[in-house]
Structure formats: structure tokens, C-alpha cells
Amino acid sequence: MLPTHTLMGLAMAVPLVVVAPDHATAALVGALVGSTLPDLDMYAGHRRSLHYPTGYVLAAVPAVAGAILLRTPLLVALGFAFVGAAVHCRMDRYGGGLELRPWEGTSERAVYDHVEGRWLAPKRLIRYDGAPEDVLVLLLLAIPLLVLLEGLLWWVVVAAVAIGCVYGLLRRRLAALAPVLVKKVPEPVTAYVPERYRP
Ligand SMILES: [Zn+2]
């Protein structure tokens, strides 16, 4: 789920708070944006429009090399952003498929690979977004973050944990509720409702 992606990004950058504090803010902000951004396609071509499992890896190589060599805040942020986005797409593969009830395991679409021109199949290591094991990963990632971060980013972690726990508790009920609610939504709005929620 999205909160787990976000905390994974922050967790990759948080060691810099200890080993390279001068670059920590750029790294954390870059990682936060990069690990969260792919899911902005939630409402238009989810796991395809902004998910580039191969593209982000290719973009990360020069960005990370530039960050190591030149150490400018922009390159550090870009490096962590592309790595965060690449890891996000990789994580989506280890979850469930793109369907309203991923625990039923009927969808073979995890994430779209634009280079291969096909959908990659889900591995279902974490059965679905918001599954108990997803919430567990979220909580484990939160521990070092809550110890090492402060200020606004600390609150981002608290918010991600709160949203993730509530989502985890309601996940299966939301799947039942969504089609009922969508029927009551006025016609022009329906176009913006993700496809899997439509009856
Ligand atoms: Zn995603």
C-alpha cells in the first residue's frame, strides 16, 4: 500500500542522517517524492501511467553516479527519487494483482513494464495491499524512522502509520463498500473512479 511505499523510500535515505547529515534532507525529500509519486496514477491507468519498473532503474544510474561524484543537493535528491520510484515498482510486483479483491488472486497484472510492453505478474509475497503482513512491514519500517527523524518528516511517518493501520483494518470492507458507493456517484464523477471500483 502507498504508506508502506512512502516509508520504504524514507528508510532507504534515513542512514544519511547519521553518516552524511549535510545531505540527509535532500536525500529524504527526494526519496519521499520518488517512492510516493508512481501511485499518483491511481485514477488514470494505475500501475502503468507512472510506473516504469525498468525506466526508473535506467534513470537512477546516472543520477546516483552524479550524486556520488558531485554531491549537489539536486543530484542527491534526484538519485534517491529515482531509486525510490524503482523500488516502488519492484515492491508492487511482490504484492497482489490489480483487482478490487486482490486476495482472490484472479488478476495477473501487478505492474506494467513499458520496455517489455507487457504486464508483469504479481508474486503475492504480500497477498494484497493493506494485508496484515503489509501493515507489519509498515510498522517495522517506521521504527528507525521515528527514532532518527524529527520535525515535519517525523509527522509524515506518524501519518503514514495511522493511515496504513486504518486502511489495513478496513481494506476488505472497503472492497465491499466501493461498488455500492460508486453506484450513487453522479455520472460525470464516475470517469474519475478507478476502473476496478466500477460495477
Ligand atoms: Zn504502485
Side-chain angles (χ1 to χ4, degrees), residues 137-161:
V137 173
L138 176 82
L139 294 174
L140 290 175
L141 289 169
I143 296 169
L145 294 173
L146 290 173
V147 172
L148 290 168
L149 294 179
E150 50 191 32
L152 189 60
L153 286 171
W154 189 86
W155 284 105
V156 168
V157 178
V158 171
V161 168

Side-chain angles (χ1 to χ4, degrees), residues 5 38-39 46-47 51 88 92:
H5 284 304
D39 275 353
H46 186 36
R47 294 200 185 166
H51 286 63
H88 176 127
D92 276 345

Side-chain angles (χ1 to χ4, degrees), residues 109-190:
R109 294 179 167 196
V111 64
Y112 191 80
D113 190 328
H114 298 260
V115 173
E116 290 190 41
R118 67 179 178 95
W119 285 92
L120 303 176
K123 293 180 187 283
R124 301 194 172 94
L125 205 64
I126 289 200
R127 292 166 299 155
Y128 56 92
D129 57 308
E133 59 269 31
D134 193 357
V135 176
L136 180 66
V137 173
L138 176 82
L139 294 174
L140 290 175
L141 289 169
I143 296 169
L145 294 173
L146 290 173
V147 172
L148 290 168
L149 294 179
E150 50 191 32
L152 189 60
L153 286 171
W154 189 86
W155 284 105
V156 168
V157 178
V158 171
V161 168
I163 293 168
C165 287
V166 171
Y167 184 74
L169 285 172
L170 299 179
R171 180 62 179 94
R172 283 169 177 262
R173 252 168 280 182
L174 283 174
L177 197 63
V180 180
L181 285 178
V182 167
K183 277 187 200 150
K184 297 186 194 299
V185 165
E187 192 88 40
V189 183
T190 319

Side-chain angles (χ1 to χ4, degrees), residues 44-79:
H46 186 36
R47 294 200 185 166
R48 180 170 179 160
S49 304
L50 293 175
H51 286 63
Y52 295 89
T54 310
Y56 289 134
V57 174
L58 295 176
V61 174
V64 170
I68 292 169
L69 289 172
L70 302 172
R71 303 192 181 188
T72 67
L74 181 65
L75 282 171
V76 169
L78 268 181

